[in-house]
Every structure is written in C-alpha cells, then in structure tokens.
Amino acid sequence: MEGVPAIFPCEKDRAQFRQHDELPGVELYQAHISRYAFEPHTHEAFGIGTIESGAQRFRYRGAQYTAPRHSLVMMNPDELHTGESACEEGWRYQMIYIQPDDMAQLTGDRGWWFSEALRTDVRLALPLSQTLSALWQAESPLARQSLLGELLAQLRPLARMAEKGKEEGGHRFDRVRDYLRDNLAEPIRLEELAAQAALSPWHFLRAFRARYHVTPHQMLMAYRLYQAKLLLARGLPAASVAASVGLSDQAHLTRAFAQRYGITPVRYQKQVRGAR
C-alpha cells in the first residue's frame, strides 16, 4: 500500500485483520512473524487461536509460555500479554477475538473463562485450526455465522462458566484500571493512580508492577491503543483517533500502534473496513 511504511524487519512477515458486519464483536487475525517482538498490549476480548508452524513465546498473567506447532492459545479479556518468536523460523498463527458480551449473546452462557492459557494437543488444536481457516475463507454471511457457531461449540468444553469478579473477589487495582480507561486523553500523574489504590506513590508502583508485570504507563498505552483500534474500525481518521486517546499526533499513533499490533493504523483500518 503506497504511503504505508513497512513495519516488520523481515519481508515475509505479515499481519492481516478482518471484521464482518454479521459477526459483531468478532475480529479475525492471521499472521506470520519471525523477528518482531510485540510490546505489552490488550484486546479486552477473548483471544483464541492456534499455532500453525514454528513456535511463539509470550508472557501472560506473570508467566512465560512457549507455544509450538499445534498449540491452542486461550486468553481472557483485559489481560496484558506480549509475543515473540521462540525459534529461528518464527511462527505462523491465526486468532479470533470475541468481545465478552457478544460471546454471552452468541452462546447463551455468561461468565466464559479459560483457566489454561496454553494447551499443546494436536487433537484439540487441529480441528479448531481447520474451523478458523474455513471461517477466514468463507464467502457468505451465513457460512461465517455457521462456522462461528461450530467454533464456539469446539471451545465450550475448554471453558468454565465463572464470573471473573466473583472468582477474584475484586482488587484495589481495579479502581486504578478503571481510572486509566476513563482518562485516556488526560495527562495522568503517578500520585493520582496511587490515590485510587490508597497507597503511597512508590509503594503503589512496586505493588502494581508485581501484580501486572508492567508499569502503569505501559498499561495506559495498552488501553489507549486498544481504544484506537476500536475507533479506527469505525472509520474515524487516524489523526482524530490519536487526539481522542491522548497521543500527541498521528505519527505517535502509528509508532505505538505498530509496536503492539504489528501493523500501521491506516493499514489496519483499510483491512477491516475493506472486509466489510
């Protein structure tokens, strides 16, 4: 695409996104990555996918994972994570992202939750991989809706129905995360966040890092870029998106967006809007 700078250091690397009007709250993704390392980011959606070749290394909920070929990756909403290659050839993978409310509406079950982030089992991963591929290639709305139903039926035995809030009982940092989301475009100071958790600034900083394995600024940037992703998918211009999420200009948005999603905002917007 003319005017869109290359993001990946390796020419064969790519990332593609798709959204469809008949699948609200659902985003499809395919990629091959060999040298790129994704900074901490969030999708605020269930992220389920399979490793098609190679191997991926990622950090999720404070633990380090290595996912080889025929692995099934299952991430819960609002969980920061990273991603990088675990082998010389990189890794090829496909994902589906589903918003929690849409998951509940599609299945009739509330409180979906995956206890395991990684399952390396060809008997589980291969059927899911085939369904994801068919969903990507499907050419009609009815075919895509049918395949999504099949995919959810495959995933249902791997999930448990438990409300996240009930499971974890809430935490003082929940208020901090809400404050970050509510003030994306504001110049937030450490003292403000510490006050939300009723801690001194430096005690807060240590405790926050120990819990989430990222700094408050990294989490804020993850929320800003996810909100930017939603606004771009709605068709808003990149420059206005940058301003609305608290970034200095479109160039800042482009750099930060690519570091977390491996694609420029303009290219992402063309992909998801073009599919529609």
Side-chain angles (χ1 to χ4, degrees), residues 160-175:
R160 58 190 179 92
M161 301 299 116
E163 293 290 347
K164 182 181 179 185
K166 293 180 180 178
E167 177 191 12
E168 298 187 350
H171 192 275
R172 67 172 69 192
F173 287 155
D174 291 346
R175 295 192 298 273

Side-chain angles (χ1 to χ4, degrees), residues 94-165:
Q94 52 185 339
M95 301 286 293
I96 184 170
Y97 299 103
I98 307 176
Q99 296 289 332
D101 289 344
D102 294 285
M103 179 80 89
Q105 184 174 355
L106 287 164
T107 63
D109 293 324
R110 299 203 67 85
W112 276 69
W113 202 249
F114 294 102
S115 300
E116 297 178 273
L118 178 65
R119 295 279 295 271
T120 302
D121 187 337
V122 66
R123 294 169 299 177
L124 294 175
L126 188 56
L128 195 78
S129 174
Q130 292 169 341
T131 305
L132 281 171
S133 295
L135 182 56
W136 181 273
Q137 297 167 8
E139 296 181 355
S140 76
L142 181 58
R144 288 189 287 265
Q145 290 170 317
S146 301
L147 286 164
L148 179 60
E150 181 179 338
L151 184 78
L152 293 173
Q154 292 171 324
L155 289 171
R156 181 62 182 83
L158 303 175
R160 58 190 179 92
M161 301 299 116
E163 293 290 347
K164 182 181 179 185

Side-chain angles (χ1 to χ4, degrees), residues 23-44:
L23 303 180
V26 174
E27 184 169 77
L28 304 176
Y29 174 74
Q30 289 187 345
H32 178 275
I33 313 295
S34 59
R35 299 289 181 269
Y36 200 81
F38 293 95
E39 292 194 3
H41 61 282
T42 181
H43 299 282
E44 299 195 29

Side-chain angles (χ1 to χ4, degrees), residues 202-220:
W202 301 113
H203 183 193
F204 163 77
L205 198 58
R206 291 194 301 270
F208 189 94
R209 180 100 192 203
R211 181 171 178 82
Y212 297 114
H213 306 278
V214 294
T215 66
H217 181 258
Q218 285 176 311
M219 181 173 282
L220 174 62

Side-chain angles (χ1 to χ4, degrees), residues 184-186 231 237-250 253:
L184 294 178
E186 302 301 322
L231 296 176
S240 64
V241 169
S244 69
V245 299
L247 301 180
S248 56
D249 53 27
Q250 185 173 341
L253 171 65

